[in-house]
Amino acid sequence: EAQVTQNPRYLITVTGKKLTVTCSQNMNHEYMSWYRQDPGLGLRQIYYSMNVEVTDKGDVPEGYKVSRKEKRNFPLILESPSPNQTSLYFCASSLSPGGLSGNTIYFGEGSWLTVV
Amino acid sequence: AQTVTQSQPEMSVQEAETVTLSCTYDTSENNYYLFWYKQPPSRQMILVIRQEAYKQQNATENRFSVNFQKAAKSFSLKISDSQLGDTAMYFCAFMKPNTGNQFYFGTGTSLTVIP
């Protein structure tokens, strides 16, 4: 079954304590992205990756890091989380850009992150 | 930067009726892609329909269709024969080609289908 798996799904952490949200896809997709969803702001792209070792900033990259060492994994790293990073985070993957050429974009189920 | 505007934060429709969700966008690009995504209470993002800007014909997917007006930069979603399962948040999204999946989303419209 085609899947994008995020972990953890729910996390409460404290300011400054480094954390990583993992994302893994089993579809051999080249394109992967991270988004955050906040009330009234919709989804905003944090980082995206076009292939292994190829990543670029989205709209709101400040305070986040990513890496793409393997095709299937695209972890999101918060080196020093702050309360304004409390949000719902989504990972997404697709075979082609934007899910074009008939290939859809698959989203993970979301990760609720609270920073206190 | 591209912007996507959804001016209807909330809408409701009677079951079996038709509803239209509006979306406008701002871009200087000529070629781009537009999407509608559905987010039910489970919070998963589900692709509803996509439209390539170079195609004049409006996309349709079963009960879902779009009215794409390129000159007006408008991309509305029409849901026919609304069903209870259509209750969800709907997001309009814009993507430039050759950007490796760089998306811009609207703020969403919460649709409630009333039995």
Side-chain angles (χ1 to χ4, degrees):
Chain A
E1 179 190 354
Q3 271 190 330
V4 177
T5 305
Q6 298 177 223
N7 278 296
R9 294 286 318 282
Y10 304 92
L11 179 65
I12 300 174
T13 190
V14 296
T15 298
K17 184 177 181 182
K18 179 180 178 180
L19 70 93
T20 299
V21 186
T22 63
C23 175
S24 181
Q25 48 94 1
N26 63 357
M27 297 163 280
N28 203 36
H29 284 170
E30 292 181 347
Y31 297 86
M32 298 185 75
S33 303
W34 275 104
Y35 298 86
R36 61 179 289 175
Q37 183 177 11
D38 302 291
L41 296 176
L43 277 85
R44 293 178 293 168
Q45 194 172 47
I46 304 170
Y47 269 95
Y48 60 95
S49 170
M50 290 173 275
N51 212 326
V52 174
E53 303 292 3
V54 182
T55 63
D56 207 348
K57 296 177 181 178
D59 270 348
V60 288
E62 295 78 19
Y64 304 94
K65 286 173 59 177
V66 293
S67 69
R68 189 91 181 272
K69 293 185 170 57
E70 305 165 284
K71 203 170 188 179
R72 64 182 292 125
N73 296 322
F74 190 45
L76 179 70
I77 304 157
L78 286 73
E79 291 273 1
S80 182
S82 61
N84 65 11
Q85 292 179 296
T86 292
S87 188
L88 173 61
Y89 291 86
F90 284 98
C91 179
S93 78
S94 63
L95 188 60
S96 54
L100 304 174
S101 305
N103 298 302
T104 194
I105 303 173
Y106 292 83
F107 280 84
E109 293 180 303
S111 294
W112 287 94
L113 173 63
T114 301
V115 183
V116 298
Chain B
Q2 277 59 227
T3 58
V4 179
T5 302
Q6 293 178 248
S7 58
Q8 305 151 312
E10 294 181 355
M11 293 191 73
S12 61
V13 62
Q14 290 290 140
E15 194 175 5
E17 298 292 307
T18 295
V19 65
T20 299
L21 280 57
S22 64
C23 172
T24 58
Y25 57 93
D26 186 25
T27 184
S28 58
E29 303 288 333
N30 189 45
N31 292 321
Y32 48 86
Y33 305 93
L34 296 163
F35 305 81
W36 278 99
Y37 277 90
K38 169 185 176 181
Q39 187 181 45
S42 67
R43 291 289 186 169
Q44 272 206 300
M45 295 289 285
I46 303 165
L47 176 66
V48 175
I49 200 164
R50 71 166 72 86
Q51 174 84 42
E52 288 89 342
Y54 64 86
K55 290 186 178 179
Q56 290 185 330
Q57 188 171 7
N58 289 325
T60 62
E61 286 287 341
N62 301 314
R63 297 183 295 108
F64 299 89
S65 62
V66 298
N67 183 3
F68 173 48
Q69 303 287 330
K70 191 174 183 179
K73 296 179 182 175
S74 170
F75 183 61
S76 60
L77 174 70
K78 185 170 85 170
I79 305 174
S80 305
D81 186 25
S82 297
Q83 301 175 0
L84 296 179
D86 295 335
T87 292
M89 182 74 86
Y90 287 81
F91 290 98
C92 179
F94 170 100
M95 192 197 81
K96 290 193 295 184
N98 303 320
T99 57
N101 244 19
Q102 190 170 22
F103 272 80
Y104 298 89
F105 283 84
T107 52
T109 296
S110 178
L111 176 68
T112 301
V113 179
I114 302 166

